[in-house]
Amino acid sequence: DGGITQSPKYLFRKEGQNVTLSCEQNLNHDAMYWYRQDPGQGLRLIYYSQIVNDFQKGDIAEGYSVSREKKESFPLTVTSAQKNPTAFYLCASSTYTDRGPTEAFFGQGTRLTVV
Amino acid sequence: ILNVEQSPQSLHVQEGDSTNFTCSFPSSNFYALHWYRWETAKSPEALFVMTLNGDEKKKGRISATLNTKEGYSYLYIKGSQPEDSATYLCALGGATNKLIFGTGTLLAVQP
């Protein structure tokens, strides 16, 4: 089945530690995205990538890092510099045309809790 | 930061009521407007992607319109059912394939 997979579903981290969230897709999509959701808020863009070996900062990139070494994979590292890392993280992918991204497909999300 | 706004923030309706939500966005340099439905414990799923001013799209009881000149889109649900309860998100697609979401409208349909 084609789709986008995030792991793990739940993640606990001690304050001061880096942690990496996995996102893999087999939809052959060029574009991939990471979003963060906090209670009562919408999806805020952390980083996105249009193509392998390229990525751009979104609106809230501080304290996060990404890589795009393979088309299928777009891991997100939450570093110790991120002041409020506890949140729900969603990964998405899409193709794109001259009218921008086509419909995005989402993973199931990772809920990160800093303890 | 691109500002995509949705209203209302939440809505409670009775089964059978028709309802609509608004998505507002900057009208300059428009590329595409997306609508998604996000049910509890599931992933967001695309409803519509609209690119042309005056676009109208329909899927069952749900339809959407787009006005790129004034920077808004409406999502309509006719005869709401309890299974329509979800958060409805709009998103603005941009030139660099950025996809920026609004804060969403939470719809609760009471049986």
Side-chain angles (χ1 to χ4, degrees), chain B residues 30-92:
Chain B
F30 174 84
Y31 275 73
L33 193 284
H34 299 211
W35 280 101
Y36 293 82
R37 175 168 58 200
W38 192 0
E39 297 177 69
T40 303
K42 294 187 177 180
S43 304
E45 290 185 345
L47 290 170
F48 307 113
V49 177
M50 297 187 288
T51 58
L52 298 175
N53 184 44
D55 256 355
E56 289 190 31
K57 296 222 172 179
K58 188 174 180 181
K59 185 183 284 190
R61 294 178 291 98
I62 303 177
S63 59
T65 61
L66 178 66
N67 184 323
T68 62
K69 294 188 189 308
E70 296 181 39
Y72 65 84
S73 174
Y74 293 138
L75 187 80
Y76 300 92
I77 301 179
K78 185 177 176 183
S80 302
Q81 299 297 309
E83 58 264 30
D84 295 329
S85 297
T87 296
Y88 290 83
L89 297 163
C90 69
L92 194 63

Coordinates of all heavy atoms in Angstrom, one line a residue, chain B residues 30-92:
Chain B
F30 N -1.3 34.6 -5.9 CA -2.0 33.4 -5.5 C -1.6 32.3 -6.4 O -1.5 32.4 -7.6 CB -3.5 33.7 -5.6 CG -4.3 32.4 -5.3 CD1 -4.7 32.0 -4.1 CD2 -4.8 31.6 -6.4 CE1 -5.4 30.9 -3.8 CE2 -5.5 30.5 -6.2 CZ -5.8 30.1 -4.9
Y31 N -1.5 31.1 -5.8 CA -1.2 29.9 -6.6 C -2.3 28.8 -6.4 O -2.9 28.4 -7.4 CB 0.1 29.2 -6.1 CG 1.3 29.8 -6.9 CD1 1.7 31.1 -6.6 CD2 1.9 29.2 -7.9 CE1 2.8 31.7 -7.2 CE2 3.0 29.7 -8.6 CZ 3.4 31.0 -8.2 OH 4.5 31.6 -8.9
A32 N -2.6 28.4 -5.2 CA -3.6 27.4 -4.9 C -4.2 27.4 -3.5 O -3.5 27.8 -2.6 CB -3.1 26.0 -5.2
L33 N -5.4 27.0 -3.4 CA -6.0 26.9 -2.0 C -6.5 25.5 -1.8 O -7.2 24.9 -2.7 CB -7.2 27.9 -2.0 CG -7.9 28.3 -0.7 CD1 -8.8 27.2 -0.2 CD2 -6.9 28.7 0.4
H34 N -6.1 24.9 -0.7 CA -6.5 23.5 -0.4 C -7.5 23.5 0.8 O -7.4 24.4 1.7 CB -5.3 22.7 0.1 CG -4.2 22.6 -0.9 ND1 -3.4 21.5 -0.9 CD2 -3.7 23.4 -1.9 CE1 -2.5 21.6 -1.9 NE2 -2.7 22.8 -2.5
W35 N -8.4 22.6 0.8 CA -9.2 22.3 1.9 C -9.0 20.8 2.4 O -8.9 19.9 1.5 CB -10.7 22.4 1.6 CG -11.2 23.9 1.6 CD1 -11.4 24.7 0.5 CD2 -11.6 24.6 2.8 NE1 -11.9 25.9 1.0 CE2 -12.0 25.9 2.3 CE3 -11.6 24.4 4.2 CZ2 -12.4 26.9 3.2 CZ3 -12.0 25.4 5.0 CH2 -12.4 26.6 4.5
Y36 N -8.9 20.6 3.7 CA -8.7 19.3 4.3 C -9.7 19.1 5.4 O -10.1 20.0 6.1 CB -7.2 19.2 4.9 CG -6.2 19.2 3.8 CD1 -5.7 20.4 3.3 CD2 -5.6 18.1 3.3 CE1 -4.7 20.5 2.3 CE2 -4.6 18.1 2.4 CZ -4.2 19.3 1.9 OH -3.2 19.4 0.9
R37 N -10.0 17.8 5.6 CA -10.8 17.4 6.8 C -10.0 16.6 7.7 O -9.3 15.6 7.2 CB -12.0 16.6 6.3 CG -12.9 16.1 7.5 CD -14.2 15.5 7.0 NE -14.1 14.5 6.0 CZ -15.0 14.1 5.2 NH1 -16.2 14.8 5.2 NH2 -14.8 13.2 4.3
W38 N -10.0 16.9 9.0 CA -9.2 16.2 9.9 C -10.1 15.6 11.0 O -10.5 16.4 11.9 CB -8.1 17.1 10.5 CG -7.0 16.4 11.3 CD1 -6.9 15.1 11.5 CD2 -5.9 17.0 12.0 NE1 -5.8 14.8 12.3 CE2 -5.2 16.0 12.6 CE3 -5.5 18.3 12.1 CZ2 -4.0 16.3 13.3 CZ3 -4.4 18.6 12.8 CH2 -3.6 17.6 13.4
E39 N -10.3 14.3 11.0 CA -11.2 13.7 12.0 C -10.3 13.2 13.1 O -9.1 12.9 12.9 CB -11.9 12.5 11.4 CG -12.8 12.8 10.3 CD -13.5 11.6 9.7 OE1 -14.3 10.9 10.4 OE2 -13.2 11.2 8.5
T40 N -10.9 13.2 14.3 CA -10.1 12.8 15.5 C -9.5 11.4 15.3 O -10.1 10.5 14.8 CB -11.1 12.7 16.7 OG1 -11.7 14.0 16.8 CG2 -10.4 12.4 18.0
A41 N -8.3 11.3 15.7 CA -7.5 10.0 15.7 C -7.2 9.6 14.3 O -6.7 8.4 14.1 CB -8.2 8.9 16.4
K42 N -7.4 10.4 13.3 CA -7.0 10.1 11.9 C -6.0 11.2 11.4 O -5.8 12.2 12.1 CB -8.2 10.0 11.0 CG -9.2 8.9 11.4 CD -10.3 8.8 10.3 CE -11.2 7.6 10.6 NZ -12.3 7.5 9.6
S43 N -5.6 11.0 10.2 CA -4.7 12.0 9.5 C -5.6 12.9 8.7 O -6.7 12.5 8.2 CB -3.7 11.3 8.6 OG -2.9 10.4 9.3
P44 N -5.1 14.2 8.5 CA -5.9 15.1 7.6 C -6.0 14.5 6.2 O -5.1 13.8 5.7 CB -5.0 16.3 7.6 CG -4.2 16.3 8.8 CD -4.0 14.9 9.1
E45 N -7.2 14.7 5.6 CA -7.4 14.2 4.2 C -7.8 15.3 3.3 O -8.7 16.1 3.7 CB -8.4 13.1 4.2 CG -7.9 11.8 4.8 CD -9.0 10.7 4.7 OE1 -10.1 11.0 4.4 OE2 -8.6 9.5 4.9
A46 N -7.3 15.4 2.1 CA -7.7 16.5 1.2 C -9.1 16.4 0.7 O -9.6 15.3 0.4 CB -6.7 16.4 0.0
L47 N -9.8 17.5 0.7 CA -11.1 17.6 0.1 C -11.0 18.2 -1.3 O -11.6 17.6 -2.2 CB -12.0 18.5 1.0 CG -12.4 17.9 2.4 CD1 -13.1 19.0 3.2 CD2 -13.4 16.7 2.2
F48 N -10.4 19.4 -1.3 CA -10.4 20.1 -2.6 C -9.0 20.8 -2.8 O -8.4 21.3 -1.8 CB -11.5 21.1 -2.7 CG -12.9 20.6 -2.4 CD1 -13.5 21.1 -1.3 CD2 -13.5 19.8 -3.3 CE1 -14.8 20.6 -1.1 CE2 -14.7 19.3 -3.1 CZ -15.4 19.7 -1.9
V49 N -8.6 20.9 -4.0 CA -7.5 21.9 -4.4 C -8.0 22.8 -5.5 O -8.5 22.3 -6.5 CB -6.2 21.1 -4.8 CG1 -5.2 22.1 -5.3 CG2 -5.7 20.2 -3.8
M50 N -8.0 24.1 -5.2 CA -8.6 25.0 -6.2 C -7.5 26.0 -6.6 O -6.8 26.5 -5.8 CB -9.8 25.7 -5.6 CG -10.9 24.7 -5.2 SD -12.4 25.5 -4.7 CE -11.9 26.1 -3.1
T51 N -7.5 26.3 -7.9 CA -6.4 27.2 -8.4 C -7.0 28.4 -9.2 O -6.2 29.4 -9.3 CB -5.5 26.4 -9.3 OG1 -6.3 25.9 -10.4 CG2 -4.8 25.3 -8.6
L52 N -8.2 28.4 -9.6 CA -8.7 29.4 -10.5 C -9.8 30.3 -9.8 O -10.7 29.7 -9.1 CB -9.3 28.9 -11.8 CG -8.3 28.1 -12.7 CD1 -9.0 27.5 -13.8 CD2 -7.2 29.0 -13.1
N53 N -9.7 31.6 -10.0 CA -10.8 32.5 -9.4 C -12.1 32.0 -9.9 O -12.3 31.8 -11.1 CB -10.5 33.9 -9.8 CG -11.5 34.9 -9.2 OD1 -11.8 34.8 -8.0 ND2 -12.0 35.8 -10.0
G54 N -13.1 31.9 -9.0 CA -14.4 31.5 -9.4 C -14.6 30.0 -9.4 O -15.7 29.5 -9.6
D55 N -13.5 29.2 -9.1 CA -13.6 27.7 -9.0 C -14.7 27.4 -8.0 O -14.9 28.0 -7.0 CB -12.3 27.2 -8.4 CG -11.5 26.5 -9.5 OD1 -12.0 26.4 -10.7 OD2 -10.4 26.1 -9.2
E56 N -15.5 26.3 -8.4 CA -16.4 25.7 -7.4 C -16.2 24.2 -7.5 O -16.2 23.7 -8.6 CB -17.9 26.1 -7.8 CG -18.3 27.5 -7.6 CD -19.8 27.8 -7.7 OE1 -20.5 26.8 -7.4 OE2 -20.1 28.9 -8.1
K57 N -16.1 23.6 -6.4 CA -15.8 22.1 -6.4 C -16.8 21.5 -5.4 O -17.3 22.1 -4.4 CB -14.4 21.8 -6.0 CG -13.4 22.4 -6.9 CD -12.3 21.4 -7.2 CE -11.4 21.9 -8.3 NZ -10.3 21.0 -8.6
K58 N -17.2 20.3 -5.7 CA -18.2 19.6 -4.9 C -17.8 18.1 -4.7 O -17.4 17.5 -5.7 CB -19.6 19.7 -5.6 CG -20.7 19.2 -4.8 CD -22.1 19.5 -5.5 CE -23.2 18.9 -4.6 NZ -24.5 19.1 -5.2
K59 N -18.1 17.6 -3.5 CA -17.8 16.2 -3.2 C -19.0 15.8 -2.3 O -19.0 16.1 -1.1 CB -16.5 16.0 -2.5 CG -16.1 14.6 -2.3 CD -14.8 14.5 -1.6 CE -13.6 14.7 -2.5 NZ -12.3 14.4 -1.9
G60 N -20.0 15.2 -2.9 CA -21.1 14.8 -2.0 C -21.9 16.0 -1.5 O -22.3 16.9 -2.3
R61 N -22.0 16.1 -0.2 CA -22.7 17.2 0.4 C -21.8 18.4 0.7 O -22.2 19.4 1.2 CB -23.4 16.7 1.7 CG -24.5 15.7 1.5 CD -25.1 15.2 2.9 NE -24.1 14.4 3.6 CZ -23.4 14.9 4.6 NH1 -23.4 16.2 5.0 NH2 -22.5 14.1 5.2
I62 N -20.5 18.3 0.4 CA -19.6 19.3 0.7 C -19.2 20.0 -0.6 O -18.9 19.4 -1.6 CB -18.3 18.7 1.3 CG1 -18.7 18.0 2.6 CG2 -17.3 19.9 1.7 CD1 -17.5 17.3 3.3
S63 N -19.1 21.3 -0.6 CA -18.7 22.1 -1.7 C -17.9 23.3 -1.3 O -17.9 23.7 -0.1 CB -19.9 22.6 -2.5 OG -20.7 23.4 -1.7
A64 N -17.1 23.9 -2.2 CA -16.2 25.0 -1.9 C -16.2 25.9 -3.1 O -16.4 25.5 -4.2 CB -14.8 24.5 -1.6
T65 N -16.0 27.2 -2.7 CA -15.9 28.3 -3.8 C -14.6 29.0 -3.5 O -14.1 29.0 -2.4 CB -17.1 29.2 -3.7 OG1 -17.2 29.9 -2.4 CG2 -18.4 28.5 -4.0
L66 N -14.1 29.7 -4.5 CA -12.9 30.4 -4.4 C -13.0 31.8 -5.0 O -13.4 31.9 -6.2 CB -11.8 29.6 -5.1 CG -10.4 30.3 -5.1 CD1 -9.8 30.4 -3.7 CD2 -9.4 29.5 -6.0
N67 N -12.5 32.8 -4.3 CA -12.4 34.2 -4.8 C -11.0 34.7 -4.6 O -10.6 35.1 -3.5 CB -13.4 35.1 -4.1 CG -13.4 36.5 -4.7 OD1 -12.4 37.0 -5.1 ND2 -14.6 37.1 -4.8
T68 N -10.2 34.6 -5.6 CA -8.8 34.9 -5.5 C -8.6 36.5 -5.5 O -7.6 36.9 -4.9 CB -7.9 34.3 -6.6 OG1 -8.3 34.8 -7.8 CG2 -8.0 32.8 -6.6
K69 N -9.5 37.2 -6.1 CA -9.3 38.7 -6.2 C -9.5 39.3 -4.8 O -8.8 40.3 -4.5 CB -10.3 39.2 -7.2 CG -10.0 38.8 -8.6 CD -10.9 39.5 -9.6 CE -10.8 39.0 -11.0 NZ -9.5 38.8 -11.5
E70 N -10.4 38.8 -4.0 CA -10.7 39.3 -2.7 C -10.0 38.5 -1.6 O -10.1 38.8 -0.4 CB -12.2 39.5 -2.5 CG -12.8 40.5 -3.4 CD -14.2 40.8 -3.2 OE1 -14.7 40.8 -2.0 OE2 -15.0 40.9 -4.2
G71 N -9.5 37.3 -1.9 CA -8.8 36.5 -1.0 C -9.6 35.8 0.0 O -9.4 35.8 1.2
Y72 N -10.6 35.0 -0.5 CA -11.4 34.1 0.4 C -11.9 32.9 -0.3 O -12.1 32.9 -1.5 CB -12.5 34.9 1.1 CG -13.6 35.4 0.2 CD1 -14.6 34.6 -0.1 CD2 -13.6 36.7 -0.3 CE1 -15.6 35.0 -1.0 CE2 -14.6 37.2 -1.1 CZ -15.6 36.3 -1.4 OH -16.6 36.8 -2.3
S73 N -12.2 31.9 0.5 CA -12.8 30.7 0.0 C -13.8 30.3 1.1 O -13.6 30.4 2.3 CB -11.8 29.6 -0.1 OG -12.4 28.3 -0.5
Y74 N -15.0 29.8 0.6 CA -16.0 29.2 1.5 C -16.1 27.7 1.3 O -16.0 27.2 0.2 CB -17.4 29.8 1.2 CG -17.5 31.3 1.4 CD1 -18.2 32.1 0.5 CD2 -17.0 31.9 2.6 CE1 -18.4 33.5 0.7 CE2 -17.2 33.3 2.8 CZ -17.8 34.1 1.8 OH -18.0 35.4 2.1
L75 N -16.3 27.1 2.5 CA -16.6 25.6 2.4 C -18.0 25.5 3.0 O -18.4 26.0 4.0 CB -15.6 24.8 3.3 CG -15.8 23.3 3.2 CD1 -15.1 22.8 2.0 CD2 -15.2 22.6 4.4
Y76 N -18.9 24.8 2.2 CA -20.3 24.6 2.6 C -20.5 23.1 2.9 O -20.0 22.2 2.1 CB -21.2 25.0 1.4 CG -21.1 26.4 1.0 CD1 -20.2 26.8 0.0 CD2 -21.9 27.4 1.6 CE1 -20.2 28.1 -0.4 CE2 -21.8 28.7 1.2 CZ -20.9 29.0 0.2 OH -20.9 30.3 -0.3
I77 N -21.3 22.8 3.9 CA -21.8 21.4 4.1 C -23.3 21.5 4.2 O -23.9 22.2 5.0 CB -21.2 20.8 5.4 CG1 -19.7 20.8 5.4 CG2 -21.7 19.4 5.6 CD1 -19.0 20.3 6.6
K78 N -23.9 20.7 3.3 CA -25.4 20.7 3.2 C -25.9 19.5 4.0 O -25.4 18.4 3.9 CB -25.8 20.5 1.8 CG -27.3 20.6 1.5 CD -27.5 20.6 0.0 CE -29.0 20.6 -0.3 NZ -29.3 20.4 -1.7
G79 N -26.9 19.8 4.9 CA -27.5 18.7 5.7 C -26.4 18.0 6.5 O -26.2 16.8 6.3
S80 N -25.8 18.7 7.5 CA -24.7 18.1 8.2 C -25.1 16.8 8.9 O -26.3 16.7 9.4 CB -24.3 19.1 9.3 OG -23.9 20.3 8.7
Q81 N -24.2 15.9 9.0 CA -24.4 14.6 9.7 C -23.3 14.5 10.8 O -22.3 15.1 10.7 CB -24.2 13.4 8.7 CG -25.2 13.5 7.5 CD -26.7 13.3 8.0 OE1 -27.0 12.4 8.8 NE2 -27.5 14.2 7.6
P82 N -23.6 13.6 11.8 CA -22.6 13.5 12.8 C -21.2 13.1 12.3 O -20.2 13.5 12.9 CB -23.2 12.4 13.7 CG -24.7 12.5 13.6 CD -24.9 13.0 12.1
E83 N -21.2 12.3 11.2 CA -19.9 11.9 10.7 C -19.1 13.0 10.0 O -18.0 12.9 9.6 CB -20.1 10.7 9.7 CG -21.0 11.0 8.5 CD -22.4 10.5 8.7 OE1 -22.8 10.5 9.9 OE2 -23.1 10.2 7.7
D84 N -19.8 14.2 9.9 CA -19.1 15.4 9.3 C -18.3 16.1 10.4 O -17.5 17.0 10.2 CB -20.1 16.4 8.8 CG -20.8 15.8 7.5 OD1 -20.2 15.0 6.8 OD2 -22.0 16.2 7.3
S85 N -18.5 15.6 11.7 CA -17.7 16.3 12.8 C -16.2 16.1 12.6 O -15.7 14.9 12.5 CB -18.2 15.7 14.1 OG -19.5 15.9 14.4
A86 N -15.5 17.2 12.6 CA -14.1 17.1 12.3 C -13.5 18.6 12.3 O -14.3 19.5 12.5 CB -13.8 16.6 10.9
T87 N -12.2 18.7 12.2 CA -11.6 20.0 12.0 C -11.4 20.2 10.5 O -10.9 19.3 9.9 CB -10.3 20.1 12.8 OG1 -10.6 20.0 14.2 CG2 -9.6 21.5 12.5
Y88 N -11.8 21.3 10.0 CA -11.7 21.6 8.6 C -10.6 22.7 8.4 O -10.7 23.8 9.0 CB -13.0 22.1 8.0 CG -14.0 21.0 7.9 CD1 -14.8 20.6 9.0 CD2 -14.1 20.2 6.8 CE1 -15.6 19.5 9.0 CE2 -15.0 19.1 6.7 CZ -15.8 18.8 7.8 OH -16.6 17.7 7.8
L89 N -9.6 22.3 7.7 CA -8.4 23.2 7.5 C -8.3 23.7 6.1 O -8.5 22.9 5.1 CB -7.1 22.4 7.8 CG -6.9 21.8 9.2 CD1 -5.9 20.7 9.2 CD2 -6.5 22.9 10.1
C90 N -7.9 24.9 5.9 CA -7.6 25.4 4.6 C -6.1 25.7 4.6 O -5.5 25.9 5.6 CB -8.4 26.6 4.2 SG -8.0 28.1 5.1
A91 N -5.5 25.6 3.4 CA -4.1 25.8 3.3 C -3.8 26.5 2.0 O -4.4 26.3 0.9 CB -3.3 24.5 3.3
L92 N -2.8 27.4 2.0 CA -2.4 28.2 0.8 C -1.1 27.6 0.3 O -0.1 27.4 1.0 CB -2.1 29.6 1.3 CG -2.0 30.7 0.2 CD1 -3.4 30.8 -0.6 CD2 -1.7 32.0 0.8

